[in-house]
DNA sequence: TTGTATGCGTTATCAT
DNA sequence: ATGATAACGCATACAA
């Protein structure tokens, strides 16, 4: 390659790296020769020399044995936006799906495969968070969905979103609004969402009420059963705030199957903005995180950490998506 | 590291690589020292030396400007299963999302970033396929969704799936079954699905009929309009086979909004197994590809190509998912 | 079974 | 503005 361009190997390296000390004619000759020979810099050699990899690892934690197709679409969107954000900042992304102790692995830095790591998962896979929490000091990583406050996290502004949802229902004239969810779930966000709901209710001089979900069931079933329990308890209500869309959709199904009219008799609002919500009858009003901002924030924080700088924000903004399950 | 274990650097290398010529006591000492120092092999140096990268690139082609959340969930599932399959065969995956000529890039081999490439996309992004089709000779790659027969593709067994769908409707007593789709779309699969439908109809002694979709609209709108046109044409029908779920869902909406009862008056079947189909009213009967097999096949073909071996199969099996849009 | 020596293709330092 | 040269950390051929 060097001789094809009639220059030394160092000149080739500099020309291709955009070093300003190389004259334009020389650079042009080098670039032409490279095109002719279909030459490209060997990344491994370059990285070996530089010490930096220019790559971020992205670990997706799934539930063991979970059908990947059932993964919440938000996570896939987040995967995509994280890749895009990394790419926009000049990083490549090495993606790994990990689901159980046999394949948990986070030594990307030691192996110089990546400069840092984004870990995305639901808080349910506690074994995974145990593993990643114990990685050696000096590991650069940021996570989405971890149950622990100790980890370097980025997450939705759950409380603001829940307040948004609750206030929306209040404005639309619903008064006896019940929250279906949990304050003790490892899903920390559920607690934050309940808190937001409770704050909005109290601001309006109303009493918050939590209808608890049963543990260990699919989300939709949890919502369905909680709604059934609520109805059977005889407690009057005209609004339901589900701490996740799947829970809200389950509640919605239970309500309509029992003859409640939504949104006339009861308003329902969820949280997450899953696709299925747009297809339910009526379509579900919900709160959605901006997954593009989420990806950017994850990448920005990670890059800051790698560079030893001050990290940026860690809360992802949310917005209300008004559909048909709350009256106009 | 070598001196910490009291052996030479080559012994360290061999011990960690599992070379059988190393005695157990020595290996043990090396491994202990590595654990103590949190030492891991530098992948860049190893690859530079070996020449192989042990990595596959996965390029996801999206529509320019498309909201990543609107990407068909099947593609995300395929992304996941491809990563999983690669990982099961000892490869890592470097993921890139590419959507327009400014960021098309496929020189992973030249840069020794990967040994080969899986390209996944919809046939609509013709600029992308132009780009990848022109990559230099010797590029190892396999694709999903390309419009050209010339490329090394893996795809669903569309014809068999369409026959499955059509025969299912015939068995359930529908006779005047119309296909909503196209034989000329760049989506090659649409043609294959129409062919399968037509074959099944002819086998049953019935006349196939294609209600063409209009170009350039969102799929659901295409389905909706085609159904409207079909109804207005006065042609009698009691069954609709949509060449994609989104098209079928659009048709389903149009039918019910016009007072047709599904599945009593008209049966509807789609193709793809998208999530939204499970939530429609009634839920959509459909044909689903096994995305796990798809990921495996892509990876297997690619690895075979890298090794210069005979490629394996290229057709992914499909199965019928009976839901509520066809009568019992 | 282990050690010695070499080179993979870069980037960076020091000359010129 | 460019060339010569020295690492970077490993895997492997060869020697012992």
């Amino acid at each position: 390659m060097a001789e094809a361009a009639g220059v030394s190997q160092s000149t080739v390296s500099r020309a291709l790296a955009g070093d300003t000390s190389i004259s334009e004619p020389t650079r042009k000759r080098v670039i032409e020769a490279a095109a002719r020979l279909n030459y490209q810099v060997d990344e491994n050699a370059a990285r070996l020399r530089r010490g930096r990899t220019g790559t971020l690892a992205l670990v997706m934690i799934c539930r063991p044995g979970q059908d990947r197709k059932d993964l919440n679409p938000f996570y896939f969107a987040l995967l995509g936006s994280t890749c895009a954000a990394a790419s926009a900042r000049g990083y490549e992304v090495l993606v790994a799906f990990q689901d159980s102790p046999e394949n948990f692995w986070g030594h990307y830095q030691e192996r110089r495969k990546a400069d840092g790591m984004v870990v995305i998962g639901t808080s349910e896979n506690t074994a995974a968070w145990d593993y990643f929490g114990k990685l050696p000091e000096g590991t650069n990583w940021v996570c989405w969905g971890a149950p622990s406050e100790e980890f370097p996290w980025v997450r939705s502004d759950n409380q603001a979103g829940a307040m948004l949802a609750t206030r929306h229902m209040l404005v639309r004239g619903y008064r006896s609004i019940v929250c279906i969810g949990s304050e003790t779930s490892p899903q920390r966000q559920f607690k934050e969402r309940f808190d937001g709901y409770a704050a909005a209710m109290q601001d309006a001089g109303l009493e918050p009420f939590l209808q608890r979900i049963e543990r260990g069931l699919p989300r939709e079933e949890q919502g369905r059963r909680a709604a059934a329990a609520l109805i059977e308890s005889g407690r009057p209500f005209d609004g339901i705030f589900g701490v996740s869309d799947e829970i809200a959709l389950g509640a919605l199904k239970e309500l309509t199957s029992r003859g409640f009219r939504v949104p006339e008799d009861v308003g329902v609002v969820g949280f997450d903005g899953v696709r299925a919500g747009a297809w339910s009858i009526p379509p579900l009003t919900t709160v959605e995180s901006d997954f593009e901002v989420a990806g950017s924030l994850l990448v920005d924080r990670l890059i800051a950490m790698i560079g030893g700088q001050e990290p940026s924000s860690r809360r992802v903004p949310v917005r209300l998506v008004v559909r048909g399950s709350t009256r106009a």
Side-chain angles (χ1 to χ4, degrees), chain A:
Chain A
M1 168 63 204
E3 57 185 287
V7 294
S8 77
Q9 191 267 323
S10 350
T11 306
V12 172
S13 174
R14 282 190 280 240
L16 261 32
D19 190 306
T20 49
S21 74
I22 296 293
S23 72
E24 272 317 311
T26 309
R27 184 192 312 282
K28 206 178 160 205
R29 248 186 318 144
V30 172
I31 289 179
E32 269 164 13
R36 194 148 28 86
L37 304 180
N38 190 27
Y39 166 87
Q40 304 252 359
V41 171
D42 182 322
E43 279 288 317
N44 300 301
R47 289 177 178 183
L48 173 57
R49 187 51 240 236
R50 279 198 218 103
R52 281 184 343 101
T53 69
T55 298
L56 304 180
L58 172 50
V59 176
M60 298 287 294
I61 297 175
C62 353
R63 273 179 279 196
Q66 180 190 37
D67 188 338
R68 250 176 260 288
K69 208 173 171 187
D70 285 339
L71 194 61
N72 184 328
F74 178 80
Y75 285 94
F76 280 126
L78 190 52
L79 163 60
S81 75
T82 305
C83 290
S87 157
R89 288 156 186 75
Y91 281 88
E92 305 237 277
V93 184
L94 200 54
V95 176
F97 281 72
Q98 302 183 8
D99 64 357
S100 46
E102 307 93 68
N103 61 23
F104 290 150
W105 198 82
H107 297 279
Y108 293 92
Q109 274 174 259
E110 292 91 328
R111 288 223 145 173
R112 296 195 180 268
K113 291 155 105 58
D115 301 331
M117 189 167 56
V118 175
V119 182
I120 295 176
T122 75
S123 47
E124 264 140 71
N125 196 328
T126 50
W129 297 115
D130 280 353
Y131 173 85
F132 285 98
K134 284 184 189 133
L135 253 26
E137 198 74 16
T139 301
N140 297 314
W141 72 302
V142 187
C143 63
W144 180 278
S148 165
E149 293 296 306
E150 309 298 312
F151 300 162
W153 51 261
V154 167
R155 67 168 74 128
S156 294
D157 197 341
N158 290 304
Q159 187 157 349
M163 293 184 75
L164 223 52
T166 311
R167 287 202 187 118
H168 164 74
M169 297 182 86
L170 291 168
V171 166
R172 297 293 168 101
Y174 302 101
R175 309 300 293 171
S176 312
I177 305 168
V178 170
C179 175
I180 294 185
S182 158
E183 346 119 280
T184 57
S185 156
Q187 296 270 110
R188 183 116 203 159
Q189 42 192 354
F190 284 2
K191 162 84 166 121
E192 293 179 353
R193 292 172 190 178
F194 171 70
D195 288 346
Y197 149 82
M201 289 293 278
Q202 275 153 358
D203 283 353
L206 296 169
E207 188 73 17
F209 179 76
L210 175 67
Q211 180 71 43
R212 287 186 182 73
I213 54 177
E214 297 172 49
R215 295 198 48 165
L217 295 170
R219 294 271 169 243
E220 196 192 337
E221 190 57 28
Q222 290 177 325
R224 191 193 285 275
R225 292 206 191 187
L230 174 63
I231 294 165
E232 280 154 21
S233 75
R235 180 187 185 88
F237 67 95
D238 65 357
I240 286 181
F241 168 57
V243 295
S244 89
D245 274 355
E246 279 144 347
I247 287 172
L249 286 171
L252 180 58
K253 276 205 176 164
E254 186 65 23
L255 286 172
T256 51
S257 80
R258 293 200 183 214
F260 287 84
R261 290 175 312 156
V262 178
E264 294 83 358
D265 302 340
V266 183
V268 178
V269 179
F271 203 120
D272 279 343
V274 304
R275 245 162 182 267
W279 295 88
S280 61
I281 309 281
L284 185 68
T285 295
T286 189
V287 176
E288 193 172 62
S289 300
D290 187 327
F291 68 92
E292 300 214 315
V293 175
S296 298
L297 247 45
L298 283 165
V299 171
D300 285 342
R301 274 188 79 84
L302 182 55
I303 292 178
M305 188 180 289
I306 292 168
Q309 300 149 21
E310 270 313 292
S312 54
S313 156
R314 39 165 59 184
R315 284 289 180 185
V316 176
V318 294
R319 66 190 184 85
L320 187 69
V321 180
V322 179
R323 293 201 278 241
S325 62
T326 45
R327 60 179 170 243

